[in-house]
Amino acid sequence: MFHLLISIILSSTILAQSSHNHHKPGPEITLKKSLSFPTFGPNNINQDITLLGSAAIPPQAGCIQIPEPENPHSSAGRAIYASPVRLFDPSSRLPASFETTFSFRIWGGPDDSGPTSGGLSFVIAPDELTTGRPGPWLGMLNDACEDDLKVVAVELDTRMNPEFGDPSDNHVGVNLGSIVSAASANASSAFGVRLNDGELHWASIAYDGTNKSLSIFIGPGFSVEKARPEARPENGVRFDNIDLSPYLNEYMFIGFSGSTGDDNHPQIHSVCSWNFTSATRARLRVPSPESCASKIMVGDDGNIPSKTPSSFYIFVAVVALVLMIMISLFFNRKKRESYEFSDEMAVVGMEKKRPVPPNRAWKFSLAEIYSATRRFGESQVLGSDRNSVTYKGSLLNGSNVVVKRFSMEAVIPVRRRMMEEVKTIGKIRHPNIVPVRGWCFDNQETIVLYEYVGNGSLDKWLFGFGVVPWTRRFKVVKDTAEGLAYLHSKGLAHKNVKASSVFIDVSFRALLGDFGFVLSLGEASARFEAMVSQKVDIFEFGVMMMEVVSGRGRETGLLDLAWALHESGEKAKLVDRSLNPDQAVRVMDVGLMCTLNENRGRPSMEEVVGYLNSERPLPDLPTTRPVSLFPYSSTTGLCSGYSCGSFK
């Protein structure tokens, strides 16, 4: 408390003194930023380049690839420079001037016959956490009408979409917060190149922030000499009146996005080298020209003049402020003493400035949660269960989050253990796990914030959106297994594995979220929880695999039916008619294996990943259902007696 009082006194004194000083703006300077990637390799991942969606840097390729060749259909991805770049000066309202050159290759993948679909774009985005939609959106936007995450892009588009005003299937376009280009040009007539001819090309994009003009040049072949400014031909394309100011924050993220459609000839986009330089205006903050000596007035007799100095008024103001604060703290302390875990309470309203975007989980104040969820407004509710209500929220930096607010009755018995577990899970980062963005243990509130995944949960896709192709279902199963295996390798458990806890991003990548924490096991002892949590995860994952294969919910007696069909040799009857029966039956076998007793063949999640990737031979299942296999309870979220057949 004393540290807080001292900080407030100093701040108040400085504020009062500053009211007498009229600082003139400092001299204008130019801030420059440059980066260079002659090639790309595994060392760039995470350190310099953030890969999202289907973007990858294969070890031997030396290039960013969007999408990965192994999964080219209906994919979207981004490769973003990991640190934000200053591209806008708030004081002058001027955008930065910048220039970027990069070499690229667009080719038709393993089967390059016939027309291809997709496109590559250089993007300027407000965060490094969002991937746009596949197909004609080129990975730039999540939705054509989206307002909260505007992106500036220069697109290299190889498909003509008349609904977006595309001039041809071989064009460049300038996109300002919209999928419809503000300006465009035919690449064949402007540059004499075919963008997706499979050859290595180079592109130069230069923007003049003062004159609001943007120039683009694309040339065949690539060499360092060709990319030098003095060596570039004059026949580039220049677009005037391109004002980026309305679409820029002070700091933005730069990189590349790409996507493919769901047709028979998707294409691969490679970026093999990249240079970027920018220059933006800024003003230095300089000290006041006044000095302390100029404030000291000594009379001829050596006495201080009788005029009351301004410092006296400052002193009186600070004393009054301190008294008010002490009274307020006294009453707040009395109020807090009625709650448990007072060491975790945050002062409501004391908002901390977050890095934009945050790169780790944070402790949020209740005031920030109120602001993000519109005071827990009904319009923000995403869902609820017996222990919690889930809301959609928007943080001050513009990013969306999922806010899960637990009821006090559910949390009281396990709150301290839950706090520790939330913070531990908050440190986990994996491509197939929804990141925990933060938490709030404020007064009586227990709240967990997750990153928002816009495509919803798996159960909505399986049971509400119509037919989901087998390739996507199988990818979801493998993605979820990878995430769960990673958690188990860290000695952690999910404790809430089900279709509604698996979320789908715009590239149809599956992310495991909505952790059960300690609530799943209620008042069970810590020892019992540690003993069964991972085993329960495996059992629940097995049931979820059968949901994916059959398209049926677990509440329909799915596990009993699956074992009955296995005993009669008719497992194919459970497979959704739209799926690949052979591969789906193998996944079903792995799912049944996950529901075996632990001492009778239940695999670890590491083994499950090996089975799904065909890296391990699949053991034979017992011909009949084990007698000690207990039925799954859809009401409790656990197996009967919390056992799942592990200890019977």
Side-chain angles (χ1 to χ4, degrees), residues 313-357:
Y313 297 113
I314 296 171
F315 174 76
V316 173
V318 170
V319 170
L321 180 61
V322 169
L323 288 174
M324 292 173 61
I325 292 172
M326 292 180 67
I327 293 172
S328 176
L329 290 175
F330 174 79
F331 285 108
N332 284 338
R333 182 178 179 182
K334 286 292 185 182
K335 184 177 180 180
R336 288 200 305 268
E337 286 175 352
S338 63
Y339 301 124
E340 193 177 0
F341 312 116
S342 60
D343 58 322
E344 291 291 337
M345 305 304 176
V347 180
V348 176
M350 295 290 289
E351 296 188 6
K352 297 180 180 179
K353 291 186 177 180
R354 313 288 179 195
V356 182

Side-chain angles (χ1 to χ4, degrees), residues 95 97 559:
S97 296
L559 183 55

Side-chain angles (χ1 to χ4, degrees), residues 5 19 78 115 118 157 255 353 375 378 402 409 600 644-645:
L5 290 176
S19 65
R78 284 188 188 176
D157 199 346
K353 291 186 177 180
R375 301 189 66 83
E378 291 186 6
V402 172
E409 295 76 13
R600 296 293 180 87
C644 295

Side-chain angles (χ1 to χ4, degrees), residues 470 474 580-588:
W470 171 247
F474 189 47
N580 177 328
D582 294 334
Q583 198 172 34
V585 167
R586 177 181 172 86
V587 171
M588 184 177 168

Side-chain angles (χ1 to χ4, degrees), residues 63-111:
C63 301
I64 298 169
Q65 290 189 349
I66 309 173
E68 297 176 275
E70 292 77 10
N71 185 33
H73 295 278
S74 193
S75 296
R78 284 188 188 176
I80 300 294
Y81 183 59
S83 301
V85 177
R86 191 175 192 267
L87 291 177
F88 182 70
D89 178 29
S91 60
S92 66
R93 308 297 300 172
L94 283 176
S97 296
F98 64 83
E99 182 172 7
T100 184
T101 61
F102 56 93
S103 61
F104 69 94
R105 178 175 178 246
I106 302 177
W107 55 290
D111 179 9

